[in-house]
């Protein structure tokens, strides 16, 4: 169902802005999760879309994990993405976006391309151009490159995104190796390391979590 990016009245009975305003009232910057390069196969937004919005191969929409891949060469897709960001920043007061990407769209798209790979390259360049436009419009906005934990850690993304998620690893003992190795691929100030002491954890676990993250970009999480 993802793709419309409207707040759920069940999850936010007083409205999502009530929650975000509360966070801002505590002197913090509110953030939201997005997966803006995809649209769920059951999304209400599909009523406004056509095949031109999506990656196509052999005459069919590219689908993975119940999601379609959006094609950022399409001006209607750009308009859709722009409006989502505008609403989050201007109407909701969001200052941080965790930009996720949880599918594998494969080798590309056949639409207006010499090959699947040509279509993929054109889309990638169009997406980066869209990002540049977003940061020009909202220079204070911070966007984290998440992408299934620590995927797509490429320089095209890193040259634009402020922060890179390094992993979805939930075993803090295994995260030490990720924290140590991540600066080989990106700058330390971009390297987001989860520090998430568990409720049942002891003092040493808390210390281990914090030591992993202290020299890099601390992502404090878990049951604070």
């Amino acid at each position: 169902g993802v793709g419309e990016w409207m707040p759920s009245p069940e999850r936010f009975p007083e409205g999502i802005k009530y929650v975000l305003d509360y966070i801002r009232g505590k002197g913090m910057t509110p953030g939201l999760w997005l997966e803006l390069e995809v649209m769920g196969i059951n999304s209400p937004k599909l009523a406004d879309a056509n095949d031109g919005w999506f990656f196509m191969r052999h005459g069919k929409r590219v689908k993975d994990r119940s999601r379609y891949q959006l094609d950022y060469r399409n001006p209607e897709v750009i308009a859709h993405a722009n409006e989502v960001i505008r609403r989050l920043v201007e109407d909701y007061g969001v200052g941080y976006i965790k930009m996720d990407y949880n599918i594998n769209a494969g080798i590309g798209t056949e639409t207006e391309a010499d090959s699947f790979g040509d279509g993929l390259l054109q889309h990638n360049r169009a997406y980066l151009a869209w990002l540049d436009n977003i940061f020009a419009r909202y220079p204070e906005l911070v966007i984290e490159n998440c992408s299934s934990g620590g995927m797509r850690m490429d320089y095209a993304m890193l040259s634009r995104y402020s922060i890179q998620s390094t992993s979805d690893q939930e075993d803090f003992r295994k995260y030490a190796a990720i924290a140590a190795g991540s600066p080989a691929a990106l700058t330390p100030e971009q390297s987001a390391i989860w520090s998430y002491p568990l409720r049942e954890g002891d003092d040493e676990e808390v210390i281990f979590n914090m030591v992993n993250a202290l020299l890099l970009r601390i992502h404090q999480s878990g049951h604070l």
Side-chain angles (χ1 to χ4, degrees):
V2 297
E4 199 172 27
W5 308 113
M6 298 297 289
S8 166
E10 296 176 3
R11 294 181 178 179
F12 302 99
E14 296 176 289
I16 197 169
K17 196 170 184 304
Y18 173 85
V19 180
L20 300 176
D21 286 347
Y22 181 85
I23 294 170
R24 202 173 276 285
K26 295 294 183 180
M28 297 185 290
T29 300
L32 288 175
W33 172 89
L34 275 183
E35 196 175 355
L36 199 48
E37 294 166 73
V38 302
M39 190 171 292
I41 60 173
N42 297 317
S43 175
K45 188 66 180 177
L46 289 172
D48 301 327
N50 54 55
D51 284 348
W53 282 49
F54 305 103
F55 272 30
M56 302 287 292
R57 287 203 294 271
H58 309 296
K60 296 181 179 180
R61 296 178 185 180
V62 173
K63 180 177 71 173
D64 185 53
R65 297 189 66 189
S66 301
R67 292 161 165 84
Y68 297 126
Q69 168 71 47
L70 289 168
D71 189 336
Y72 270 67
R73 297 175 298 166
N74 187 321
E76 293 180 330
V77 171
I78 294 295
H80 158 67
N82 283 343
E83 174 55 23
V84 172
I85 298 295
R86 186 212 62 77
R87 176 160 43 83
L88 266 57
V89 175
E90 297 183 17
D91 296 351
Y92 300 165
V94 166
Y96 185 105
I97 292 172
K98 186 178 181 71
M99 193 74 82
D100 215 343
Y101 182 76
N102 292 305
I103 72 169
N104 183 348
I107 57 176
T109 177
E110 66 194 11
T111 304
E112 298 182 12
D114 292 334
S115 63
F116 295 144
D118 178 46
L120 178 62
L121 179 61
Q122 290 182 41
H123 159 77
N124 285 345
R125 288 172 172 169
Y127 179 77
L128 294 173
W130 171 78
L131 264 184
D132 291 339
N133 181 265
I134 289 297
F135 285 125
R137 190 177 306 172
Y138 305 110
E140 300 301 316
L141 180 65
V142 175
I143 303 183
E144 170 198 335
N145 189 31
C146 180
S147 306
S148 297
M151 306 299 286
R152 296 203 305 179
M153 204 180 294
D154 61 273
Y155 189 73
M157 295 293 191
L158 294 174
S159 66
R160 291 163 170 86
Y161 285 130
S162 308
I163 305 174
Q164 169 71 52
S165 174
T166 52
S167 181
D168 277 343
Q169 175 57 250
E170 296 182 358
D171 186 334
F172 66 95
R173 294 165 297 184
K174 295 179 180 179
Y175 217 135
I178 298 169
S182 65
L186 68 162
T187 60
E189 59 268 27
Q190 285 178 296
S191 182
I193 306 297
W194 273 8
S195 172
Y196 50 101
L198 303 177
R199 182 171 287 170
E200 64 274 14
D202 58 20
D203 290 350
E204 286 301 314
E205 179 185 321
V206 175
I207 294 167
F208 197 102
N209 265 283
M210 289 308 301
V211 168
N212 278 346
L214 275 174
L215 293 179
L216 304 165
R217 194 69 171 260
I218 299 174
H219 264 205
Q220 195 70 57
S221 186
H223 298 282
L224 301 182

